[in-house]
Amino acid sequence: HGPGANAVTLRWNEAWLVDHLHPNGRPSRGEGDIGYEVFWMKEYFARPIANLSTACGLYAELRRRTAARIVVKTETWLTIEDLEGDIMYVFNVVARSYKTGHALAYSETRFLVLPVLVGRPEPKYLGVLRMLSLLLQYVTPIAIILLSCVVLFRCWLLPWWRGVPSRGWDIEMSTSARQWASG
């Protein structure tokens, strides 16, 4: 995910140390035994000569200058900023033992960095579309309310005020009911 304009934050699991005392491995726990190197490259360069899922392949692409690298020591995250927008990037991490020099790459991942339009002038038609959107959002409900008021006034209130019966909604009393009410 990206924290800012054209930036990507990468996170990875901590590498485990394997030696004769710990044949199943143990976490390095930030002791400084293991350092991490983060590699990235644009995907259209990712038709590499080397395998991007191996440390040797990543170092080969770095030598070819198709990949970039940042060493992060013991951290297990990194934010890479100022990437080009609308480009697919390939990212990978290499864990390197400072004691033995052995290196192991994680699995590569691909991520599309979306363009951010910060500080760029927006096209003129977007202003017109935004104005039309506001008109539809605010003017339409007001017009419906006003039209309802006009219909209410012309169909029910105006005839009632003039003394005209309102289109059959008046209740006529039967003759016997009228005689009972008046007498």
Side-chain angles (χ1 to χ4, degrees), residues 7-19:
V8 172
T9 298
L10 302 170
R11 296 181 190 282
W12 57 91
N13 292 329
E14 182 179 29
W16 283 41
L17 299 171
V18 177
D19 56 23

Side-chain angles (χ1 to χ4, degrees), residues 1-138:
H1 68 285
N6 296 344
V8 172
T9 298
L10 302 170
R11 296 181 190 282
W12 57 91
N13 292 329
E14 182 179 29
W16 283 41
L17 299 171
V18 177
D19 56 23
H20 67 285
L21 297 175
H22 305 94
N24 293 328
R26 68 172 175 84
S28 64
R29 294 188 186 93
E31 297 169 2
D33 298 336
I34 294 179
Y36 300 98
E37 300 169 77
V38 178
F39 292 80
W40 71 95
M41 63 191 301
K42 295 175 185 173
E43 187 181 47
Y44 56 80
F45 287 137
R47 294 179 186 85
I49 295 172
N51 183 350
L52 298 179
S53 293
T54 65
C56 294
L58 291 166
Y59 290 125
E61 292 303 316
L62 185 65
R63 282 191 299 276
R64 285 184 55 218
R65 297 178 190 226
T66 58
R69 172 184 67 175
I70 293 180
V71 178
V72 292
K73 300 194 180 188
T74 59
E75 296 292 330
T76 56
W77 66 274
L78 173 68
T79 298
I80 302 170
E81 296 180 347
D82 298 326
L83 296 171
E84 290 182 44
D86 207 21
I87 301 269
M88 181 73 77
Y89 282 87
V90 179
F91 299 93
N92 205 346
V93 176
V94 170
R96 175 178 290 283
S97 169
Y98 290 127
K99 290 183 179 179
T100 65
H102 295 138
L104 181 67
Y106 287 65
S107 298
E108 67 188 75
T109 186
R110 297 177 191 296
F111 187 78
L112 175 64
V113 176
L114 297 174
V116 177
L117 301 173
V118 175
R120 296 182 187 169
E122 73 176 22
K124 291 182 182 181
Y125 68 87
L126 286 180
V128 172
L129 291 176
R130 191 168 290 123
M131 182 62 78
L132 286 174
S133 168
L134 288 173
L135 282 173
L136 287 174
Q137 188 176 2
Y138 294 109

